[in-house]
Structure formats: C-alpha cells, structure tokens
Amino acid sequence: MSAERARLEELALAAIAAARETAELARVEREFLGKEGAVGKLLASIRDVPPDERKAFGHGANELKRAIETALAARRAMLERERLAAERSAEDFDPSLPARALAHGSLHPLTHVVRRLEEIFSSMGYAILDGPEVELDYYNFEALNIPKDHPAREMHDTFWCDREQKLLLRTHTSPVQLRALERMRPPFRAIVPGRCFRNETTDASHEHTFHQMEGLVVGEDITVGHLIGTMKTFLREVFRRELEVRLRPGYFPFVEPGFELDVRCPFCERGCSVCKRSTWIELCPCGMVHPKVLRYGGVDPERYTGFAFGLGLSRLVMLRYGIDDIRLLMGADVRFLEQF
Ligand code: DAH
C-alpha cells in the first residue's frame, strides 16, 4: 500500500506543479480525487486488504487525499496571484500612485441663495409657494390689473405658447400672488422663488431665463412700515449687517402705491462699479397690493391690505458672489459652477 500511495502522491504533485491554468488544475483534481479518480479506486480496494490492516490502509489513503488537496489549493492560489500580477503589469498598474479624485457636484449659487432666503423668510412665518411656469394670461396679466392693450404688457416681452394667446411662459413670479390669494385665507405671508422667462436679446444683464422671488403679505392693517421693516430684516440676514434702504416711487399696475426699494451699496462707501458710483443699488420693486388685485383674488379690500415685492433673485445672486454676467447663471459651464 505505501508504495502505491507514494507513487500516486508523486504523480499527483508533479501534475499539480506542471499545471499552468486553473482549468488544468481542475482536470488533475478530477483525475485523482474525483468519483472515478485514482484515490477513490485506492480506497475502494480496501475490500481486498486483510481486516487487521484496513485501519492503517484507510488512514494512509486519507493522508494521500489531504496532501493532494493541500497542493491543489496552494497551486491555485499561486496561479491566481500570477494572473493578478500579469493583469496589473499589463495596464501599468502602479500601486504607489495617489488615487484619482472623485468628481463631485456642488450646489448652484442660485440654490445657495434661495435656500438661505427660504430659511430667513420661514423664520418670519412665511409659507414657501410654487406656481406653474406655463401660466395663463389671466394670472400673468389680467388679474394683476394689466388688461389687454395695457402699455405695461410691452415691458414684458412674452413667450407665447399658443396662438390664441391664452398660455404663456410666466414673465414674473407675480401671478402666484393671485393663486395664493385664491387658495389661502388672510392673514398669510408667502414667498415664491421661481424661474421666469422673457423674450429678450441677451447680454451681460439680460437673460431670457431668470429668477425672481415674489413676496406677499396680506392681513388687517398691513402698512408700508411692515414692508420696510421686512426688507431691512431680510437684508440684515443676507449681508450680515444693517444696511440703509430707501423707497422711490415706482409704477406697477398691481400695486398702489408702488415703489422701487434701493439698498445702500454693501461694497463701498463712495461709489464703485457695482452701484455705478451712486452708492445705491436698485434691489426690489414693491408696493401695497392694489385693491383690484385683492378683489380678483376673492379678498375684501375694505377689510384687508397687503404688501408685495418682486426680488430679482438672479441679481441678488450676482451681488452676493460678485458675478458680472447674468448669462453665467443658466449657462451650464462647469468651470463656473464648480466654484461654488
Ligand atoms: N413682477 C414685477 C416685474 O417683474 C416686479 C414687481 C413689482 C413685483 C412690484 C411685485 C411688486 O410684487 O409689488 O416686473
């Protein structure tokens, strides 16, 4: 028996050492350890062994089996290491090189500013509303006291969606004022950040797609004082210091009186390129909601008053980050965007 065992072991180990591939190893394994394999046959021959030698015989056969299994596993591991090494050198794998940096995105500057404004205004009890970008003429103009043939329509170079001119891309966020009046019972406060569209020739300060944030507060005894206080508070939060504001008269059909709110330039004391040497920056048209608009929205103007403002978000983002061309905002240029 021990001679046969030694012979088989020698044969098996030689075959294993000679195997160059795992498939070859599998064949060797079958040949020796498989059902019909040499070791199996050896074990089967135990029937012919005298009973008192069977224990030693079985023991020897099992040792042979284990020796072959160990050699197979070692050879398999070695072939695997060789395969990996070959693969690495084939692709010039250099484990000492630093890992390639993962490209990760960042928030758009507009998103940063909108989130900050939402934080500020929600802390003052404002709801954050949304409205459709494809809007009805009724909400975008009519109910805002801009009837057909009103000259104010000319200032809104409108993208029309249909021939009957009922559907358009909203030219401002103000239509959501009416949608809010229709849905919410006063008193309420709301802001509406959103995209607007105008059919304009683009340049550094004009873009066909831009952002505004509408504000609307309606209640009993709401006054211009509330408007000014609100604007001062929000500017203090955005620029982190007290900034002087002033109101100039402004005309918008949906407010009466209407104003232009200017803020003292946060970047200079005597005039700079941002404030065009005037020390004032035009920030936000606003006013007291026109009684007609309240009525269109189903709110009694005898009982309630309100103020509204239309913050130029794109402009605020440009001020905040010192961006001098509005087209960068919607331009999707990664070199610009990855700076935020
Ligand atoms: N919607 C106006 C525009 O885009 C801006 C505006 C003016 C909004 C006065 C207001 C407001 O809420 O009170 O031209």
Side-chain angles (χ1 to χ4, degrees):
M1 148 73 194
S2 55
E4 176 61 359
R5 189 197 134 180
R7 193 184 70 83
L8 282 178
E9 185 164 345
E10 199 175 313
L11 274 177
L13 295 189
I16 290 168
R20 309 276 347 136
E21 280 168 27
T22 45
E24 229 172 303
L25 272 185
R27 203 169 54 244
V28 174
E29 180 167 24
R30 238 176 295 120
E31 193 179 311
F32 288 90
L33 303 181
K35 267 204 183 128
E36 303 289 307
V39 176
K41 279 187 184 139
L42 183 68
L43 269 169
S45 69
I46 200 166
R47 270 176 269 126
D48 310 327
V49 174
D52 57 338
E53 290 172 25
R54 283 187 186 167
K55 192 175 172 194
F57 183 93
H59 186 70
N62 277 327
E63 265 189 1
L64 170 62
K65 193 176 165 203
R66 219 167 299 132
I68 296 175
E69 279 169 353
T70 310
L72 276 169
R75 183 70 185 146
R76 206 168 264 136
M78 187 167 175
L79 286 180
E80 179 61 13
R81 273 197 303 276
E82 279 175 13
R83 191 185 64 77
L84 278 178
E87 215 166 68
R88 281 174 190 158
S89 68
E91 60 180 37
D92 276 337
F93 182 83
D94 179 352
S96 68
L97 281 179
R100 210 174 288 155
L102 282 182
H104 54 85
S106 55
L107 292 180
H108 194 283
L110 262 159
T111 311
H112 281 295
V113 169
V114 169
R115 287 196 181 170
R116 181 77 191 110
L117 291 174
E118 288 180 350
E119 234 169 65
I120 295 169
F121 279 96
S122 1
S123 78
M124 296 195 279
Y126 282 66
I128 299 163
L129 302 183
D130 206 358
E133 292 177 348
V134 175
E135 189 50 285
L136 290 164
D137 178 290
Y138 174 78
Y139 288 109
N140 196 83
F141 291 127
E142 203 74 31
L144 282 168
N145 196 27
I146 316 177
K148 299 241 155 40
D149 307 319
H150 193 287
R153 285 199 180 208
E154 272 161 43
M155 291 166 53
H156 298 235
D157 309 277
T158 310
F159 284 115
W160 292 98
C161 297
D162 67 347
R163 278 166 184 268
E164 286 80 46
Q165 308 217 321
K166 289 226 162 71
L167 271 185
L168 46 80
L169 295 186
R170 68 175 177 197
T171 58
H172 50 176
T173 44
S174 302
V176 191
Q177 284 192 29
L178 281 138
R179 294 183 174 275
L181 286 168
E182 285 176 354
R183 267 196 299 147
M184 301 166 77
R185 290 293 109 205
F188 70 82
R189 306 163 203 188
I191 51 166
V192 188
R195 261 201 311 186
C196 311
F197 310 85
R198 289 194 197 180
N199 191 354
E200 293 193 298
T201 311
T202 61
D203 61 31
S205 43
H206 296 90
E207 175 64 294
H208 49 69
T209 303
F210 58 98
H211 290 73
Q212 287 190 341
M213 189 182 82
E214 199 75 12
L216 178 64
V217 173
V218 183
E220 288 178 22
D221 304 320
I222 296 291
T223 68
V224 177
H226 295 116
L227 168 61
I228 296 174
T230 305
M231 299 322 276
K232 286 186 98 156
T233 307
F234 121 77
L235 286 169
R236 185 166 59 231
E237 291 296 322
V238 170
F239 290 98
R240 302 202 182 283
R241 68 197 147 102
E242 202 72 38
L243 288 175
E244 204 184 337
V245 299
R246 74 174 182 193
L247 289 183
R248 285 178 293 122
Y251 173 70
F252 305 93
F254 38 94
V255 282
E256 181 57 39
F259 310 105
E260 289 285 354
L261 184 130
D262 300 338
V263 59
R264 200 53 109 168
C265 180
F267 306 108
C268 70
E269 289 193 347
R270 295 210 186 80
C272 64
S273 61
V274 178
C275 61
K276 302 199 191 86
R277 321 245 151 251
S278 73
T279 77
W280 290 102
I281 293 177
E282 206 176 296
L283 188 74
C284 176
C286 51
M288 300 306 292
V289 182
H290 199 290
K292 274 194 180 171
V293 174
L294 290 175
R295 220 172 280 125
Y296 268 117
V299 171
D300 178 6
E302 299 295 330
R303 178 160 175 211
Y304 295 105
T305 51
F307 69 78
F309 56 88
L311 189 70
L313 261 188
S314 303
R315 193 166 151 62
L316 188 66
V317 171
M318 292 167 74
L319 277 180
R320 167 77 180 68
Y321 293 105
I323 299 165
D324 59 4
D325 191 328
I326 191 173
R327 291 167 295 189
L328 285 166
L329 293 179
M330 292 285 103
D333 185 334
V334 177
R335 290 167 304 175
F336 166 74
L337 293 173
E338 62 192 8
Q339 298 173 58
F340 300 94

